[in-house]
């Protein structure tokens, strides 16, 4: 069986691979959660974010033995986030089925003349309302849980947690920030220059 | 039935390829171990665990695809995709049925009719979907398929 040459050395350990693999997966996840939190009604973006989150979770579980307790805490937080996303996904699948069933019961009742044969839809309507409320609450709770993951410094905190299990691990194994200077520092953003005078001159 | 959450104790200093080989072999075993109960169809948790194990196996194989021969990997991922796609709709019905059963237990008798109608309909749908699902599980569980997976993992991650 012909195998492609791996892109990393044979001596690679779990820890070194974690520092190469996880930043990309984390970036994909954080990129996917921003649109998901922006639109409560859009089930597709939330589902897409959930799938990228699952990839990150499975990879984190593989690398967890090589990382420290802070990493475990990130993993636990991600599991909770994915559980909430999973429940919202279940609701997104079930609610349309329930609404369609309510419509069918109404049609059946409209066609049925004898009162005792009519089916009361009140229970189902209550369920629909309750589940809609639950979806809304869970969405708000999800956005709260995701807020730390969207902060600019979260990536650095996450990367630090990767190296805590291995004190000799170089932080530079992580892909560099594109703004970093040759000595690894990230320059501060300069405040925008005052161009009001320029505009007046135009 | 407990969830398939932790399968091997890995040593952080272990070479990565050996560790990955162990983990993938573990997830394959987990996936296969739930096949008999999934085929029986009495335990929704077994089906869920089988699906989750297969999803994990697929995610890790995809993530570390550079370790495998492209053609063989493509074929095994296709096998996993078929299995996962067959298990998914049945799982969705199982989740919905749990919700409906809970509600039916709490609802007043007059309102149970609407729920029973929906539950019966979902049960029929589930049975219809279980036919192709069982075929997929049997194909995946079969000796040739199992051997192909084991060979791919063993030979690529020695």
């Amino acid at each position: 069986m012909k195998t492609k040459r791996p892109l990393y050395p044979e001596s690679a350990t779990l820890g070194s691979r974690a520092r190469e693999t996880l930043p990309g997966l984390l970036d994909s996840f954080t990129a996917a959660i921003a649109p998901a939190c922006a639109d409560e009604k859009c089930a597709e973006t939330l589902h897409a974010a959930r799938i990228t989150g699952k990839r990150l979770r499975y990879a984190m579980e593989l690398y967890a033995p090589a990382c420290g307790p802070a990493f475990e805490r990130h993993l636990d937080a991600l599991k909770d986030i994915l559980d909430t996303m999973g429940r919202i996904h279940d609701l997104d699948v079930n609610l349309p089925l329930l609404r369609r069933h309510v419509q069918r019961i109404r049609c059946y009742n409209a066609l049925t003349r004898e009162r005792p044969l009519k089916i009361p839809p009140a229970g189902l309507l209550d369920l629909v309302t309750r589940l809609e409320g639950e979806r809304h609450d869970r969405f708000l709770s999800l956005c709260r849980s995701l807020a730390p993951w969207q902060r600019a410094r979260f990536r650095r905190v996450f990367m630090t947690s990767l190296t805590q299990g291995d004190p000799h691990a170089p932080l530079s194994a992580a892909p560099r920030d594109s703004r970093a200077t040759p000595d690894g520092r990230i320059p501060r953003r300069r405040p925008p220059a005052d161009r009001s005078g320029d505009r007046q001159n135009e | 039935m407990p969830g398939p959450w932790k399968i091997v104790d890995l040593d952080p200093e272990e070479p990565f390829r050996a560790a990955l080989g162990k983990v993938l072999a573990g997830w394959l075993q987990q996936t296969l171990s739930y096949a008999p109960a999934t085929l029986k169809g009495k335990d929704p948790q077994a089906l869920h665990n089988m699906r989750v194990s297969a999803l994990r196996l697929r995610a890790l194989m995809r993530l570390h695809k550079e370790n495998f021969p492209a053609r063989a990997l493509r074929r095994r991922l296709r096998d996993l995709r078929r299995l996962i796609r067959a298990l998914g709709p049945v799982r969705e019905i199982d989740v919905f049925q749990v919700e409906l059963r809970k509600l039916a237990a709490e609802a007043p008798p007059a309102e149970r009719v609407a729920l029973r109608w929906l539950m019966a309909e979902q049960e029929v749908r589930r049975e219809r979907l279980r036919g192709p699902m069982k075929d997929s599980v049997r194909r995946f569980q079969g000796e040739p398929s199992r051997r192909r997976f084991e060979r791919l993992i063993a030979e690529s991650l020695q």
Side-chain angles (χ1 to χ4, degrees):
Chain A
M1 206 184 289
K2 204 175 156 190
T3 313
K4 263 193 209 167
R5 216 170 128 214
L7 299 174
Y8 46 87
E10 297 284 321
S11 60
T13 60
L14 267 184
S16 67
R17 278 298 288 159
R19 289 185 289 279
E20 284 167 29
T21 313
L22 290 175
L25 291 170
L26 176 69
D27 290 343
S28 304
F29 180 57
T30 47
I33 57 182
C37 287
D39 186 1
E40 183 178 344
K41 299 281 170 208
C42 188
E44 286 82 18
T45 51
L46 196 69
H47 187 54
R50 182 172 167 241
I51 288 170
T52 55
K54 275 188 181 183
R55 282 185 200 135
L56 176 62
R57 176 189 168 173
Y58 299 155
M60 282 174 79
E61 282 173 344
L62 170 66
Y63 298 123
C67 304
F71 183 81
E72 292 276 353
R73 283 196 292 276
H74 290 314
L75 180 56
D76 289 342
L78 181 63
K79 281 180 191 169
D80 289 343
I81 286 169
L82 289 173
D83 283 349
T84 310
M85 283 179 158
R87 177 63 187 153
I88 294 175
H89 176 70
D90 289 345
L91 292 171
D92 286 336
V93 172
N94 296 344
L95 273 166
L97 292 171
L98 285 168
R99 287 192 201 107
R100 208 177 56 205
H101 192 56
V102 170
Q103 286 302 318
R104 274 194 311 190
I105 287 172
R106 281 181 175 150
C107 289
Y108 167 82
N109 286 345
L111 294 169
T112 308
R113 287 189 186 167
E114 293 172 51
R115 203 173 176 80
L117 292 178
K118 289 184 191 268
I119 300 172
L124 271 181
L125 282 169
D126 281 351
L127 177 67
V128 170
T129 313
R130 188 162 58 79
L131 294 183
E132 281 170 347
E134 185 190 334
R135 192 195 184 280
H136 176 70
D137 293 345
R138 287 197 185 253
F139 182 79
L140 294 181
S141 135
L142 175 70
C143 291
R144 276 195 298 275
S145 314
L146 286 172
W149 293 67
Q150 290 173 296
R151 284 187 200 128
R153 65 185 287 269
F154 181 80
R155 194 179 195 274
R156 209 181 312 154
V157 174
F158 184 88
M159 289 308 301
T160 310
S161 76
L162 287 184
T163 55
Q164 279 174 351
D166 179 4
H168 307 297
L171 256 175
S172 57
R176 278 166 56 86
D177 191 306
S178 57
R179 292 169 297 155
T181 57
D183 59 350
R185 283 185 296 119
I186 299 171
R188 274 189 179 179
R189 228 181 247 171
R190 282 186 191 167
D194 186 9
R195 290 177 176 265
S196 54
D198 296 353
R199 243 180 257 126
Q200 277 170 3
N201 292 339
E202 276 170 12
Chain B
M1 191 179 283
W5 312 135
K6 193 159 186 173
I7 48 167
V8 279
D9 289 318
L10 296 175
D11 175 7
E13 296 306 316
E14 199 170 358
F16 175 71
R17 285 164 69 89
L20 181 63
K22 265 198 225 172
V23 172
L24 292 181
W27 286 127
L28 177 65
Q29 286 311 313
Q30 288 269 3
T31 308
L32 292 166
S33 71
Y34 293 112
T38 303
L39 286 171
K40 270 188 199 162
K42 300 284 175 209
D43 182 6
Q45 194 58 40
L47 186 147
H48 176 54
N49 289 350
M50 183 172 192
R51 186 164 171 267
V52 171
S53 308
L55 282 167
R56 282 163 187 253
L57 179 61
R58 183 175 72 169
L60 290 181
M61 285 174 83
R62 271 187 186 160
L63 186 62
H64 303 288
K65 62 184 177 196
E66 68 274 11
N67 287 285
F68 303 101
R71 197 167 164 210
L73 177 70
R74 211 166 43 237
R75 288 182 173 173
R76 297 298 73 78
L77 289 178
R78 186 193 57 199
D79 294 347
L80 280 167
R81 187 181 66 225
R82 283 181 183 155
L83 177 72
I84 291 163
R85 283 193 180 168
L87 294 170
V90 182
R91 172 67 190 158
E92 279 180 1
I93 293 176
D94 286 341
V95 171
F96 193 34
Q97 292 281 51
V98 169
E99 196 88 57
L100 292 176
R101 266 184 224 124
K102 209 163 62 187
L103 189 83
E106 296 163 2
E111 285 172 1
R112 281 185 203 154
V113 183
L115 293 167
R116 283 207 193 115
W117 177 2
L118 190 53
M119 282 162 74
E121 196 184 64
Q122 292 297 312
E123 196 52 53
V124 170
R125 230 185 106 217
R126 187 179 189 271
E127 276 312 303
R128 213 173 42 226
L129 289 167
R130 267 181 53 78
M133 186 212 77
K134 282 201 260 184
D135 292 343
S136 293
V137 172
R138 282 199 195 103
R139 208 176 303 128
F140 188 84
Q141 186 195 23
E143 197 55 36
S145 162
R146 179 194 299 237
R147 222 178 298 137
R148 280 195 289 265
F149 266 97
E150 284 171 350
R151 198 173 143 224
L152 178 68
I153 294 169
E155 290 185 9
S156 308
L157 298 168
Q158 274 168 355

